[in-house]
Amino acid sequence: MNPPGAALDELVAQVQAARKYRSVAPDVIRSVGQIELARRRTSAEAVKATKRKLHQIAGSYLPAGLETGRWREQLCGSCAADPHATYRNIMSRHLSTRERLPFLEEFYHTLLGDIGPIRSVLDIGCGLNPLALPWMPVSLDCSYHAYDIYEDLAAMLGVFFAQIGRKGRAEARDVLHSPPKEAVDVALLLKFLPCVDQVDRNAGERLIHALNARVLVVSFPLHSLGGRRDKGMEGIYESRFRGLAEGQGWGCQRFIFPTELAFRVVLGCDKAGRDASRLPAGTAST
């Protein structure tokens, strides 16, 4: 049974009153809050649990919090300096993209370099990853669709796309209940599934089936948020992915990077009729 609407409205208001969660899209708070209201004895417990869950989903990757105002200033002033250095500096503020910086170009050229032309990308749970667009082997007219839970972050990414003159759009949305409908060449779910598993173990699978993509890239972290290599994470996440892929008939390729395990998945033909099953053989096949 759904909780009364008034209780849910009050929970959203209380969560948004906290500076840390002020920028989180209301529909995301409502989705998480509805679950917690049904589980907890009191509304105060539900508010606390909702904040904790939002931290696990995204906040834990931003140890210094959202600094979108400063990042926007840096982006707007980067033309006179070294823009690529600016993008890397901003990406270092998010733990997920920070880990990828030492092998950023290798990461994208390994995963995307042999499947072109790439004219459209969907980035789910994007964080600061769209700032890596200059390192991605995509066409100059590539359209980039980015989704995260933070409204301020989405607005800042819009500034970035405009500044570099690329076709990009960022939006804060609850993608689990309102999946993107864009038909794209590549959909990126980078370190995304472990985050949504915090909310619903089956939500990631439902989202993947709702996407309209030719190729899907799914990745998992190999380091804890504290930066330590966890030898057990590779096996756990490999089993997680294989369980997800079992019986789907996907063509999958496995890639290992210093801090990340990735899978490239063939989902089928796009609307232009290009057959994604004709991808070249990967470094390691599942």
Side-chain angles (χ1 to χ4, degrees), residues 59-238:
S60 58
Y61 290 91
L62 292 159
L66 280 173
E67 304 174 83
T68 51
R70 185 157 68 97
W71 296 339
R72 190 188 297 239
E73 291 177 1
Q74 292 173 347
L75 288 172
C76 292
S78 65
C79 295
D82 181 349
H84 284 195
T86 299
Y87 307 152
R88 293 179 69 93
N89 179 59
I90 296 173
M91 282 190 283
S92 73
R93 311 303 294 175
H94 192 287
L95 293 182
S96 181
T97 43
R98 178 194 299 175
E99 290 182 343
R100 205 175 290 133
L101 289 178
F103 52 94
L104 187 62
E105 185 168 7
E106 174 193 356
F107 181 81
Y108 283 109
H109 280 265
T110 298
L111 291 171
L112 305 180
D114 57 357
I115 61 172
I118 298 173
R119 297 193 175 92
S120 52
V121 172
L122 177 64
D123 194 342
I124 301 290
C126 64
L128 292 171
N129 188 61
L131 299 182
L133 180 55
W135 286 269
M136 298 182 191
V138 299
S139 62
L140 290 176
D141 65 343
C142 177
S143 58
Y144 200 105
H145 311 274
Y147 291 89
D148 201 87
I149 71 169
Y150 293 108
E151 294 175 337
D152 286 356
L153 178 61
M156 186 215 61
L157 291 173
V159 172
F160 164 72
F161 290 130
Q163 186 221 35
I164 66 173
R166 303 293 286 270
K167 293 192 296 184
R169 181 177 62 83
E171 181 181 339
R173 182 198 291 189
D174 175 10
V175 295
L176 300 183
H177 294 90
S178 182
K181 300 299 183 184
E182 296 92 341
V184 295
D185 289 323
V186 175
L188 302 175
L189 275 74
L190 303 181
K191 304 180 188 176
F192 178 77
L193 292 182
C195 295
V196 299
D197 281 351
Q198 301 286 338
V199 179
D200 182 343
R201 181 77 174 177
N202 299 313
E205 182 176 3
R206 293 196 300 269
L207 174 63
I208 288 173
H209 286 299
L211 298 179
N212 186 2
R214 182 168 62 100
V215 176
L216 175 70
V217 175
V218 179
S219 78
F220 300 89
L222 295 179
H223 284 195
S224 68
L225 289 177
R228 292 186 177 182
R229 177 70 178 246
D230 186 334
K231 295 182 179 180
M233 290 176 75
E234 182 177 343
I236 290 171
Y237 287 135
E238 177 130 14

Side-chain angles (χ1 to χ4, degrees), residues 7-56:
L8 186 54
D9 290 343
E10 178 62 23
L11 178 143
V12 172
Q14 289 189 42
V15 171
Q16 287 187 312
R19 182 179 178 183
K20 184 176 180 179
Y21 306 106
R22 191 172 301 157
S23 180
V24 176
D27 59 342
V28 174
I29 301 175
R30 294 185 74 86
S31 294
V32 176
Q34 183 168 340
I35 295 172
E36 297 303 334
L37 277 172
R39 289 176 175 172
R40 309 297 168 178
R41 294 175 301 172
T42 67
S43 59
E45 289 181 356
V47 169
K48 184 177 180 180
T50 299
K51 290 179 179 179
R52 182 169 60 248
K53 194 69 68 177
L54 292 172
H55 176 77
Q56 293 171 339

